Amino acid sequence: MNEVLPDELTEQSDARIVFLVMDGLGGLPFEPGGKTELETAVTPNMDRLAQTCAAGLIEMVGPGITPGSGPGHLALFGYDPVRYNIGRGVLSALGVGFELEHGDVGVRLNFATLDSAGRVSDRRAGRPTDEENKRLVAKLTERVKAPDGVELFFEPEKEHRAVMVLRGAALGAQLSDTDPQEEGATPLRVHAYDSESRRTAQIVQEVLDSAFEALADEPRANAILARGFAAFHRYPSLHERFKLRGQAIARYPMYRGVAKLLGMDLHPVPDSDEGSIAALGDRFNDYDFHFVHFKAVDSRGEDGDFAGKVKAIEAIDKLIPAVEKLKPAALVITGDHSTPSRAKAHSWHPVPLILASPWSRPAGLTGFGERECRKGELGIFPAMHLMTLALAHAGRLAKFGA
């Protein structure tokens, strides 16, 4: 679609749009010929909506491209995920409330466990508690120093995740990850992809080497793995593009970071998924656009826990009636990517979607699942066009042309 659309057609309205995003929703059968996690789950509320509303499948980036969570969410919100791609480090830093300055370089860190041979035995260091995470970050802050001319910041995120930010003149962010993405391998060394990032690569490697020394006496989190280097710069907001005042209700920092990058207000972190829906109701009329994020579906998929992912989907289904009572003009239920339990990782498979509004054509499907959504009138389409559809269903788009 021409990049001036739908932006130039957006109109002010009292209509509210709600996106319920189950992270990693899409899946695969665990056994050949079986059902996916979503198809296995008992979801009477989402099944009911699938019978009466528009349905389809969305490709987050393109056919065969496995998306990260950042590109997946940017696409959901109507941003070309290739043009606007940004590394996870910036999103995590914004998500934990760190005030980035133009040119800051952020990177997401995983606390990890190395064996006696220096190989990664656990990429998540046993998923430490948030309190343990804070202790480890405090240790890094105390013991790891940056070279002259560079400011260094460590911030806790959640469980095994932390954030590192470098601030200084002429820093580059075209840097390789050190996370080998598999256990049994040794951490990689940082290298630069362009000449502007060579000095930064040397600085980062010095910092990481010092961090390994600082953590050497830890029984589990004795290493850090870096991924998602990015330099911060300003993005056009949802309000600038779509005339939407947005609110994000998310419990994990990275998703709060995506929302903040796009100018959404961040609701205080709820203590549960039920709390997220209660928060939605509290300030429903104060915002035009509400993004509500649920993480457990993705976590269980990455753990390879098929039954756990099924239960996580079923738990969200029970919350749907409370959202419907708010009567949003357009309600979208989908995910930001697929995380099949069989793969224990993100995959390229299209993500199921239902879009409920008074203007939806009934899909007449038997339920909400990958195979049924393939039959929906929306078909398989790029996720970046979902916002256009939501705006149209909410009556917030003017006619194009005479």
Side-chain angles (χ1 to χ4, degrees):
M1 184 181 292
N2 189 303
E3 65 180 28
V4 302
L5 301 178
D7 303 30
E8 293 188 358
L9 300 180
T10 56
E11 296 183 323
Q12 296 284 3
S13 166
D14 291 333
R16 312 301 181 205
I17 299 171
V18 174
F19 275 32
L20 300 183
V21 180
M22 284 179 274
D23 205 292
L25 176 63
L28 290 170
F30 211 82
E31 300 292 340
K35 295 181 178 181
T36 69
E37 299 93 334
L38 178 58
E39 292 167 342
T40 301
V42 178
T43 55
N45 294 302
M46 289 187 280
D47 290 347
R48 170 175 48 79
L49 289 174
Q51 294 168 14
T52 59
C53 302
L57 295 166
I58 48 177
E59 287 181 329
M60 312 317 296
V61 179
I65 305 299
T66 298
S69 295
H73 279 85
L74 286 168
L76 288 178
F77 300 142
Y79 292 72
D80 183 333
V82 177
R83 176 185 173 190
Y84 288 103
N85 187 32
I86 191 164
R88 194 160 184 152
V90 161
L91 301 179
S92 291
L94 291 172
V96 300
F98 188 88
E99 293 298 328
L100 290 170
E101 297 180 1
H102 182 81
D104 283 355
V105 173
V107 60
R108 221 292 287 283
L109 303 177
N110 272 24
F111 287 109
T113 307
L114 301 187
D115 63 19
S116 58
R119 297 184 294 259
V120 178
S121 59
D122 186 342
R123 290 181 57 245
R124 299 177 178 89
R127 290 189 184 272
T129 65
D130 292 349
E131 287 304 312
E132 176 69 358
N133 179 303
K134 292 176 182 177
R135 183 188 69 81
L136 292 166
V137 167
K139 189 173 187 177
L140 292 176
T141 300
E142 178 185 356
R143 299 189 183 184
V144 180
K145 305 303 176 184
D148 291 342
V150 176
E151 292 183 82
L152 174 65
F153 307 91
F154 292 102
E155 295 288 339
E157 188 171 348
K158 198 168 182 64
E159 296 179 336
H160 57 282
R161 306 173 184 91
V163 181
M164 183 173 75
V165 176
L166 297 175
R167 178 174 293 163
L171 294 176
Q174 296 301 309
L175 303 172
S176 65
D177 294 350
T178 69
D179 186 350
Q181 294 286 333
E182 62 180 354
E183 293 172 354
T186 57
L188 306 173
R189 294 187 69 80
V190 179
H191 69 265
Y193 291 124
D194 61 21
S195 57
E196 290 77 13
S197 301
R198 287 175 186 163
R199 171 175 166 268
T200 311
Q202 294 174 348
I203 293 170
V204 169
Q205 192 61 61
E206 289 177 19
V207 169
L208 294 179
D209 290 344
S210 180
F212 274 51
E213 293 177 8
L215 297 172
D217 59 347
E218 293 290 335
R220 295 294 296 271
N222 60 359
I224 52 175
L225 305 174
R227 49 192 292 220
F229 287 92
F232 175 67
H233 61 274
R234 186 179 176 278
Y235 274 39
S237 71
L238 286 182
H239 190 266
E240 291 168 330
R241 292 193 59 200
F242 308 131
K243 298 182 176 68
L244 294 174
R245 294 166 297 149
Q247 174 186 216
I249 304 171
R251 298 170 64 195
Y252 275 69
M254 203 214 78
Y255 312 101
R256 297 170 65 83
V258 178
K260 188 172 182 180
L261 185 70
L262 304 184
M264 296 187 217
D265 287 346
L266 304 182
H267 191 282
V269 179
D271 59 4
S272 65
D273 290 339
E274 291 79 7
S276 294
I277 300 303
L280 174 65
D282 289 343
R283 302 192 67 185
F284 185 70
N285 290 323
D286 295 341
Y287 294 93
D288 308 306
F289 179 81
H290 298 267
F291 158 50
V292 188
H293 180 269
F294 304 102
K295 179 61 177 173
V297 176
D298 179 63
S299 297
R300 300 294 79 76
E302 288 194 332
D303 291 342
D305 183 355
F306 188 98
K309 183 174 175 180
V310 168
K311 289 181 180 178
I313 294 170
E314 292 175 343
I316 303 306
D317 185 75
K318 293 180 173 65
L319 304 177
I320 300 301
V323 179
E324 292 180 284
K325 286 181 180 178
L326 299 172
K327 297 183 178 180
L331 170 61
V332 170
I333 303 175
T334 189
D336 62 330
H337 55 77
S338 293
T339 305
S341 306
R342 197 173 85 196
K344 299 183 181 180
H346 295 198
S347 78
W348 62 91
H349 298 87
V351 182
L353 156 81
I354 46 179
L355 197 170
S357 88
W359 303 103
S360 296
R361 287 175 175 162
L365 306 181
T366 61
F368 185 38
E370 287 83 352
R371 275 170 277 211
E372 284 297 295
C373 283
R374 192 184 305 139
K375 304 173 187 176
E377 74 158 3
L378 300 180
I380 302 177
F381 67 97
M384 62 177 287
H385 298 320
L386 175 59
M387 181 62 85
T388 308
L389 280 169
L391 289 164
H393 277 264
R396 300 181 71 105
L397 282 186
K399 181 175 70 173
F400 174 67

